Amino acid sequence: MNPVQSVQSTSSLTVAKFGGTSVADFQAILRCANIIKNDSSNRLVVVSASAGVTNYLVRLSQQGVPVDEQKDIIENIRAIQVNITQHLASDVETSLNQQIDSLLTELTQHALTQSLQYTAKTTDAILAFGEQLSSRIFAQVLQSIDVSGEYFNVQQVMKTNSLHGKAVVEINQLEEQCAQLLAPKLQNNVIVTQGFIGQDAQGHTTTLGRGGSDYSAALLAEALNGDNLSIWTDVVGIFTTDPRITDQARAIKEISFGEAAEMATFGAKILHPATLIPAMRRNIPVFVGSSKEPEKGGTQIKQKVDSNPTYRSIALRREQSLVTVKSPAMLHASGFLAKVFAILAKHELSVDLITTSEISVALTFDNPTGSTQSLITNTVVAELEQLCEVSVEHGLSLVAVIGNGLTLAKGVGRSIFETINDINVRMICHGASANNLCFLVDENDANSTVEKLHNTLFK
Ligand code: ASP
Ligand code: MG
């Protein structure tokens, strides 16, 4: 056996994050482990739960799940994990399976607690198991190819507030704790840790929101003053638009932080929308590539790029709600919008787009995919109705044309809207950012809108 590869303390630091499909099975993890082995700057690995596991955990964390179903879910999670460990040396397999079983025993306890008394706190405790399992396994797969992988519990450094389900990370603490507890370890070993999870001041587990592992990795890269952040996923980078909508979509070689942040916010599902914020603060270049085909390269996201085309990409976000508030009292009045926003803030609703005319304001809201209930509840509507007339429309999609200098270039509006002159445009937002022009169309027109625009703007 080769000596375990040790890491040079002087080499640069890349934080490598692997998403759920990259750690779905043994072959997938092995590919990731080789990516780590092939570039000695990869010294911190952040993993998601194996594909499917978080969805099982979400179900397990819901109210009133029958005990039989709880058992099935836990059995299914176990099957995903032990299908991976069976490919490791038998002593490693045995020890990992023991760890898996003891974690699953804890999980069973949480599930029972949850069925007796549902809390957001227990939900987070349940959701965290996916990453806790996959990170342990990943470290051992590294070991199996002679890389000194070491498991690290991210909760020692990722301190958050107690907003379960979307906890806010204490960035200063993260930096301090990383310097103390994590940085020294990176000198000798490749550290494998969890995305998505954290811990509040009382020691309770918290989570950063679905898809939050990208964001965890970016925060860790920032806190450790890393040189690079690599997000390994199942597509060969960021595309000009969703390739499922048009086969004309192509991978983008280089894109600026500003443009990529717009894409992530406006629906390109590839990165968690908050991911680029820490990277931008410390000017850490971000790479997005496929762990299945690392040789194909990917997209580089950085501050300065060689080309700044007017049109870079088109993002699409479905399931948008449009709320229009109208009040004659708004005529020449001040403070009306402040009241509207106070109500929205109270319900923790985040507004995406906004357009105003003298006596009415239109606001859009994103309904998280798969959510069964609109974010705009009857309570919200009733409170707004105290102030003004309210109408709510659903079934809309937001199309965002992303690029550079869109507020300065000539003919942008014409190129876009002439191309889709047979489609009803419900609302347009243009001017606040030079990096995007957004509009709403009916859900049924969304794909054809994107396809037509892509054909015209990316000929
Ligand atoms: N496992 C979590 C999720 O599926 C976090 C992540 O994958 O980023 O949402
Ligand atoms: Mg993800």
Side-chain angles (χ1 to χ4, degrees), residues 156-169:
Q156 295 178 72
V157 296
M158 198 65 77
K159 304 297 175 188
T160 70
N161 68 6
S162 304
L163 199 60
H164 288 286
K166 43 178 171 179
V168 180
V169 176

Side-chain angles (χ1 to χ4, degrees), residues 17-20 47-55 57-58 127 130-131 195-197 209-216 272:
K17 181 262 172 178
F18 295 96
V47 293
S48 287
S50 300
V53 171
T54 307
N55 287 346
L57 293 169
V58 167
L127 295 187
E131 274 71 11
F196 181 54
I197 67 180
R210 289 304 304 267
S213 291
D214 296 341
Y215 182 49
S216 301
H272 183 279

